[in-house]
């Protein structure tokens, strides 16, 4: 039918765009897909998550660093499981290194998300903080010794040197006391300058001994896919 054919500049679908290792935009016929797969020019599936490193807290510090993160993956995933701290719940923070060491300037970070707490079951509150690396800046995120929480953050296209580092994620946990359980879903961004993520720091906002991460809090960093 005139005007519908794929791969023509005059087509309503638009001109054919050559596939890359990460994307194949446009409309493709099955034989075209087969030809590109055979030629090795069709984007491969991202594949399974591979463990880069795992750290189990031992109760001696309120922060852990992930250094020399390989630049070979497309996405990163940070999983925090069985998370708890020594005595008092606290805000959990993520700091980034894009080549000049961990940047601890709070004004270079921002978070936005929605959350619900034990005191407001059935409702979700929104929050926006432009000058903090905390994923949940309004209420403490990781619970104290009386309970445990878990969280997942995904840093997409993290090795791209021309984009601002960002993450999406969720947190679930129980904070003993008046607030009870909590859920948080939102995003985190580093907006100072573009750059690939070469290192991460995870820590509590307060670093004194009663905020040390207790065992069996586990931090696992995963990678998936191939960097462009």
């Amino acid at each position: 039918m005139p005007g519908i054919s794929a791969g023509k500049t005059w087509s309503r679908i638009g001109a054919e765009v050559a596939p890359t290792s990460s994307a194949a935009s446009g409309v493709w016929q099955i034989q075209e897909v087969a030809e590109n797969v055979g030629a090795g020019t069709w984007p491969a599936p991202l594949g399974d998550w591979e463990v880069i490193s795992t750290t189990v807290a031992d109760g001696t510090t309120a922060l852990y660093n992930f250094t020399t993160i390989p630049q070979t993956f497309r996405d990163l995933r940070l999983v925090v499981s069985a998370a708890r701290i020594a005595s008092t719940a606290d805000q959990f923070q993520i700091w980034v290194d894009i080549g000049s060491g961990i940047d601890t300037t709070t004004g270079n970070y921002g978070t936005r998300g929605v959350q619900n707490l034990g005191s407001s079951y059935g409702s979700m509150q929104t929050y926006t903080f432009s000058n903090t690396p905390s994923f949940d800046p309004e209420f403490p995120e990781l619970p104290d010794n009386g309970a445990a929480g878990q969280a997942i953050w995904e840093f997409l296209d993290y090795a791209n040197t021309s984009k601002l580092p960002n993450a999406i994620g969720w947190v679930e946990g129980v904070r003993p006391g008046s607030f009870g359980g909590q859920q948080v879903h939102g995003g985190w961004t580093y907006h100072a300058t573009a750059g690939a993520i070469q290192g991460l720091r995870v820590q509590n906002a307060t670093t004194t001994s009663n905020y040390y991460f207790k065992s069996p809090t586990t931090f696992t960093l995963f990678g998936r896919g191939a960097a462009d």
Side-chain angles (χ1 to χ4, degrees), residues 6-7 15 19 37 42 57 65 69 75 83 100-101 109-110 122 131 137 142 164 166 177 179 182 200 215 220 222 226:
V37 170
W42 192 258
N65 292 323
I69 293 175
D75 303 323
S100 301
Y109 298 84
N131 297 301
L142 293 186
L164 295 171
N166 63 88
F179 287 113
Q182 63 174 309
L200 292 170
S215 177
T220 307
F222 298 85

mmCIF file of all heavy atoms in Angstrom, residues 6-7 15 19 37 42 57 65 69 75 83 100-101 109-110 122 131 137 142 164 166 177 179 182 200 215 220 222 226:
data_model
loop_
_atom_site.group_PDB
_atom_site.id
_atom_site.type_symbol
_atom_site.label_atom_id
_atom_site.label_comp_id
_atom_site.label_asym_id
_atom_site.label_seq_id
_atom_site.Cartn_x
_atom_site.Cartn_y
_atom_site.Cartn_z
ATOM 1 N N ALA A 6 7.959 0.123 4.937
ATOM 2 C CA ALA A 6 8.986 0.454 5.917
ATOM 3 C C ALA A 6 10.303 0.741 5.226
ATOM 4 O O ALA A 6 10.574 0.233 4.139
ATOM 5 C CB ALA A 6 9.153 -0.703 6.899
ATOM 6 N N GLY A 7 11.133 1.543 5.859
ATOM 7 C CA GLY A 7 12.478 1.756 5.366
ATOM 8 C C GLY A 7 12.592 2.738 4.217
ATOM 9 O O GLY A 7 13.640 2.820 3.569
ATOM 10 N N ALA A 15 12.042 6.598 7.717
ATOM 11 C CA ALA A 15 13.183 5.887 7.156
ATOM 12 C C ALA A 15 13.689 4.821 8.115
ATOM 13 O O ALA A 15 13.536 4.922 9.328
ATOM 14 C CB ALA A 15 14.296 6.872 6.840
ATOM 15 N N PRO A 19 20.112 -0.745 13.344
ATOM 16 C CA PRO A 19 20.137 -1.183 14.744
ATOM 17 C C PRO A 19 21.511 -0.982 15.357
ATOM 18 O O PRO A 19 22.524 -0.933 14.660
ATOM 19 C CB PRO A 19 19.790 -2.667 14.657
ATOM 20 C CG PRO A 19 20.254 -3.074 13.291
ATOM 21 C CD PRO A 19 20.010 -1.878 12.406
ATOM 22 N N VAL A 37 20.439 -10.322 13.207
ATOM 23 C CA VAL A 37 20.899 -11.254 14.240
ATOM 24 C C VAL A 37 22.082 -12.061 13.719
ATOM 25 O O VAL A 37 23.097 -12.245 14.393
ATOM 26 C CB VAL A 37 19.758 -12.181 14.691
ATOM 27 C CG1 VAL A 37 20.298 -13.306 15.578
ATOM 28 C CG2 VAL A 37 18.690 -11.399 15.440
ATOM 29 N N TRP A 42 22.162 -6.956 15.784
ATOM 30 C CA TRP A 42 20.882 -6.808 16.474
ATOM 31 C C TRP A 42 21.134 -6.747 17.979
ATOM 32 O O TRP A 42 21.974 -7.486 18.490
ATOM 33 C CB TRP A 42 19.966 -7.983 16.139
ATOM 34 C CG TRP A 42 18.542 -7.773 16.565
ATOM 35 C CD1 TRP A 42 17.918 -8.300 17.658
ATOM 36 C CD2 TRP A 42 17.572 -6.954 15.908
ATOM 37 N NE1 TRP A 42 16.615 -7.872 17.716
ATOM 38 C CE2 TRP A 42 16.367 -7.040 16.656
ATOM 39 C CE3 TRP A 42 17.592 -6.152 14.756
ATOM 40 C CZ2 TRP A 42 15.211 -6.357 16.303
ATOM 41 C CZ3 TRP A 42 16.434 -5.475 14.398
ATOM 42 C CH2 TRP A 42 15.265 -5.580 15.161
ATOM 43 N N ALA A 57 27.493 -6.207 56.613
ATOM 44 C CA ALA A 57 27.851 -5.297 57.699
ATOM 45 C C ALA A 57 28.294 -6.059 58.942
ATOM 46 O O ALA A 57 27.786 -7.152 59.224
ATOM 47 C CB ALA A 57 26.657 -4.407 58.026
ATOM 48 N N ASN A 65 31.788 1.804 51.002
ATOM 49 C CA ASN A 65 32.112 2.299 49.675
ATOM 50 C C ASN A 65 32.202 1.162 48.668
ATOM 51 O O ASN A 65 32.713 0.076 48.979
ATOM 52 C CB ASN A 65 33.460 3.028 49.693
ATOM 53 C CG ASN A 65 33.413 4.321 50.479
ATOM 54 O OD1 ASN A 65 32.420 5.033 50.437
ATOM 55 N ND2 ASN A 65 34.478 4.631 51.196
ATOM 56 N N ILE A 69 34.070 0.627 40.231
ATOM 57 C CA ILE A 69 32.965 -0.107 39.609
ATOM 58 C C ILE A 69 33.287 -0.316 38.130
ATOM 59 O O ILE A 69 33.618 0.636 37.424
ATOM 60 C CB ILE A 69 31.651 0.669 39.764
ATOM 61 C CG1 ILE A 69 31.252 0.721 41.246
ATOM 62 C CG2 ILE A 69 30.535 0.039 38.937
ATOM 63 C CD1 ILE A 69 30.025 1.563 41.524
ATOM 64 N N ASP A 75 23.604 -1.447 33.114
ATOM 65 C CA ASP A 75 22.867 -0.992 34.293
ATOM 66 C C ASP A 75 23.470 -1.566 35.561
ATOM 67 O O ASP A 75 24.067 -2.652 35.553
ATOM 68 C CB ASP A 75 21.396 -1.418 34.209
ATOM 69 C CG ASP A 75 20.709 -0.905 32.958
ATOM 70 O OD1 ASP A 75 21.005 0.229 32.537
ATOM 71 O OD2 ASP A 75 19.866 -1.641 32.401
ATOM 72 N N ALA A 83 18.225 -5.183 56.297
ATOM 73 C CA ALA A 83 18.884 -3.949 56.727
ATOM 74 C C ALA A 83 18.400 -3.491 58.099
ATOM 75 O O ALA A 83 17.208 -3.376 58.350
ATOM 76 C CB ALA A 83 18.628 -2.863 55.692
ATOM 77 N N SER A 100 36.217 11.856 40.425
ATOM 78 C CA SER A 100 37.027 12.737 41.278
ATOM 79 C C SER A 100 36.845 12.412 42.751
ATOM 80 O O SER A 100 37.041 13.275 43.606
ATOM 81 C CB SER A 100 36.650 14.204 41.012
ATOM 82 O OG SER A 100 36.853 14.551 39.666
ATOM 83 N N GLY A 101 36.462 11.193 43.051
ATOM 84 C CA GLY A 101 36.205 10.804 44.429
ATOM 85 C C GLY A 101 34.743 10.996 44.787
ATOM 86 O O GLY A 101 33.966 11.595 44.039
ATOM 87 N N TYR A 109 22.636 16.829 44.878
ATOM 88 C CA TYR A 109 21.755 15.669 44.792
ATOM 89 C C TYR A 109 20.294 16.089 44.925
ATOM 90 O O TYR A 109 19.986 17.177 45.412
ATOM 91 C CB TYR A 109 22.084 14.665 45.904
ATOM 92 C CG TYR A 109 23.471 14.093 45.829
ATOM 93 C CD1 TYR A 109 24.562 14.773 46.375
ATOM 94 C CD2 TYR A 109 23.709 12.868 45.210
ATOM 95 C CE1 TYR A 109 25.842 14.247 46.298
ATOM 96 C CE2 TYR A 109 24.984 12.339 45.143
ATOM 97 C CZ TYR A 109 26.050 13.029 45.683
ATOM 98 O OH TYR A 109 27.311 12.507 45.607
ATOM 99 N N GLY A 110 19.413 15.203 44.500
ATOM 100 C CA GLY A 110 17.994 15.453 44.667
ATOM 101 C C GLY A 110 17.220 14.145 44.681
ATOM 102 O O GLY A 110 17.649 13.150 44.104
ATOM 103 N N GLY A 122 -3.016 3.368 53.637
ATOM 104 C CA GLY A 122 -4.035 3.644 52.640
ATOM 105 C C GLY A 122 -3.832 4.935 51.901
ATOM 106 O O GLY A 122 -4.592 5.261 50.990
ATOM 107 N N ASN A 131 18.158 19.089 47.557
ATOM 108 C CA ASN A 131 19.513 19.241 48.085
ATOM 109 C C ASN A 131 19.857 18.164 49.107
ATOM 110 O O ASN A 131 20.282 18.458 50.225
ATOM 111 C CB ASN A 131 19.686 20.626 48.721
ATOM 112 C CG ASN A 131 19.523 21.742 47.722
ATOM 113 O OD1 ASN A 131 20.252 21.803 46.738
ATOM 114 N ND2 ASN A 131 18.575 22.622 47.951
ATOM 115 N N PRO A 137 14.140 11.394 52.413
ATOM 116 C CA PRO A 137 14.650 12.446 53.285
ATOM 117 C C PRO A 137 13.681 12.901 54.364
ATOM 118 O O PRO A 137 14.083 13.576 55.297
ATOM 119 C CB PRO A 137 14.917 13.590 52.303
ATOM 120 C CG PRO A 137 13.953 13.358 51.207
ATOM 121 C CD PRO A 137 13.800 11.869 51.081
ATOM 122 N N LEU A 142 15.884 3.204 57.169
ATOM 123 C CA LEU A 142 16.278 1.895 57.669
ATOM 124 C C LEU A 142 15.948 1.776 59.154
ATOM 125 O O LEU A 142 16.228 2.669 59.932
ATOM 126 C CB LEU A 142 17.774 1.659 57.443
ATOM 127 C CG LEU A 142 18.190 1.540 55.983
ATOM 128 C CD1 LEU A 142 19.657 1.171 55.900
ATOM 129 C CD2 LEU A 142 17.352 0.508 55.250
ATOM 130 N N LEU A 164 23.526 12.647 33.282
ATOM 131 C CA LEU A 164 23.560 12.794 34.732
ATOM 132 C C LEU A 164 23.230 11.459 35.390
ATOM 133 O O LEU A 164 22.260 10.806 35.005
ATOM 134 C CB LEU A 164 22.543 13.847 35.183
ATOM 135 C CG LEU A 164 22.789 15.286 34.724
ATOM 136 C CD1 LEU A 164 21.576 16.146 35.066
ATOM 137 C CD2 LEU A 164 24.045 15.853 35.355
ATOM 138 N N ASN A 166 21.551 8.807 37.669
ATOM 139 C CA ASN A 166 20.238 8.786 38.294
ATOM 140 C C ASN A 166 19.877 7.360 38.666
ATOM 141 O O ASN A 166 20.488 6.402 38.179
ATOM 142 C CB ASN A 166 19.173 9.379 37.367
ATOM 143 C CG ASN A 166 19.000 8.582 36.092
ATOM 144 O OD1 ASN A 166 18.216 7.634 36.039
ATOM 145 N ND2 ASN A 166 19.744 8.941 35.047
ATOM 146 N N GLY A 177 7.771 1.603 66.752
ATOM 147 C CA GLY A 177 7.280 2.844 67.333
ATOM 148 C C GLY A 177 6.043 3.342 66.619
ATOM 149 O O GLY A 177 5.323 2.596 65.963
ATOM 150 N N PHE A 179 5.414 5.010 63.913
ATOM 151 C CA PHE A 179 5.231 5.043 62.469
ATOM 152 C C PHE A 179 5.020 3.659 61.862
ATOM 153 O O PHE A 179 4.565 3.550 60.737
ATOM 154 C CB PHE A 179 6.435 5.715 61.793
ATOM 155 C CG PHE A 179 6.471 7.190 62.006
ATOM 156 C CD1 PHE A 179 7.475 7.759 62.774
ATOM 157 C CD2 PHE A 179 5.493 8.009 61.469
ATOM 158 C CE1 PHE A 179 7.505 9.125 62.983
ATOM 159 C CE2 PHE A 179 5.529 9.379 61.664
ATOM 160 C CZ PHE A 179 6.533 9.942 62.434
ATOM 161 N N GLN A 182 6.595 1.037 56.554
ATOM 162 C CA GLN A 182 6.680 2.097 55.565
ATOM 163 C C GLN A 182 7.051 1.512 54.214
ATOM 164 O O GLN A 182 7.700 0.477 54.119
ATOM 165 C CB GLN A 182 7.718 3.150 55.966
ATOM 166 C CG GLN A 182 9.143 2.615 56.062
ATOM 167 C CD GLN A 182 10.143 3.734 56.307
ATOM 168 O OE1 GLN A 182 10.152 4.737 55.606
ATOM 169 N NE2 GLN A 182 10.990 3.558 57.296
ATOM 170 N N LEU A 200 30.343 4.274 44.432
ATOM 171 C CA LEU A 200 29.171 4.627 45.222
ATOM 172 C C LEU A 200 29.516 4.534 46.702
ATOM 173 O O LEU A 200 30.359 3.727 47.116
ATOM 174 C CB LEU A 200 27.998 3.685 44.933
ATOM 175 C CG LEU A 200 27.337 3.747 43.561
ATOM 176 C CD1 LEU A 200 26.372 2.576 43.404
ATOM 177 C CD2 LEU A 200 26.612 5.063 43.363
ATOM 178 N N SER A 215 24.952 -6.542 61.426
ATOM 179 C CA SER A 215 24.806 -7.815 60.723
ATOM 180 C C SER A 215 23.395 -8.343 60.991
ATOM 181 O O SER A 215 22.868 -8.158 62.106
ATOM 182 C CB SER A 215 25.851 -8.797 61.234
ATOM 183 O OG SER A 215 25.695 -10.046 60.640
ATOM 184 N N THR A 220 24.614 -5.710 48.115
ATOM 185 C CA THR A 220 25.065 -6.450 46.935
ATOM 186 C C THR A 220 24.904 -5.576 45.702
ATOM 187 O O THR A 220 23.816 -5.035 45.456
ATOM 188 C CB THR A 220 24.280 -7.749 46.744
ATOM 189 O OG1 THR A 220 24.325 -8.522 47.950
ATOM 190 C CG2 THR A 220 24.870 -8.575 45.603
ATOM 191 N N PHE A 222 25.020 -5.410 41.606
ATOM 192 C CA PHE A 222 24.891 -6.233 40.417
ATOM 193 C C PHE A 222 25.106 -5.392 39.159
ATOM 194 O O PHE A 222 24.887 -4.185 39.170
ATOM 195 C CB PHE A 222 23.483 -6.853 40.327
ATOM 196 C CG PHE A 222 23.100 -7.767 41.442
ATOM 197 C CD1 PHE A 222 22.570 -7.283 42.629
ATOM 198 C CD2 PHE A 222 23.250 -9.152 41.297
ATOM 199 C CE1 PHE A 222 22.191 -8.129 43.658
ATOM 200 C CE2 PHE A 222 22.873 -10.020 42.317
ATOM 201 C CZ PHE A 222 22.356 -9.512 43.484
ATOM 202 N N ALA A 226 25.442 -4.907 28.425
ATOM 203 C CA ALA A 226 26.742 -4.421 27.991
ATOM 204 C C ALA A 226 26.677 -2.936 27.710
ATOM 205 O O ALA A 226 25.723 -2.448 27.108
ATOM 206 C CB ALA A 226 27.178 -5.156 26.714
#
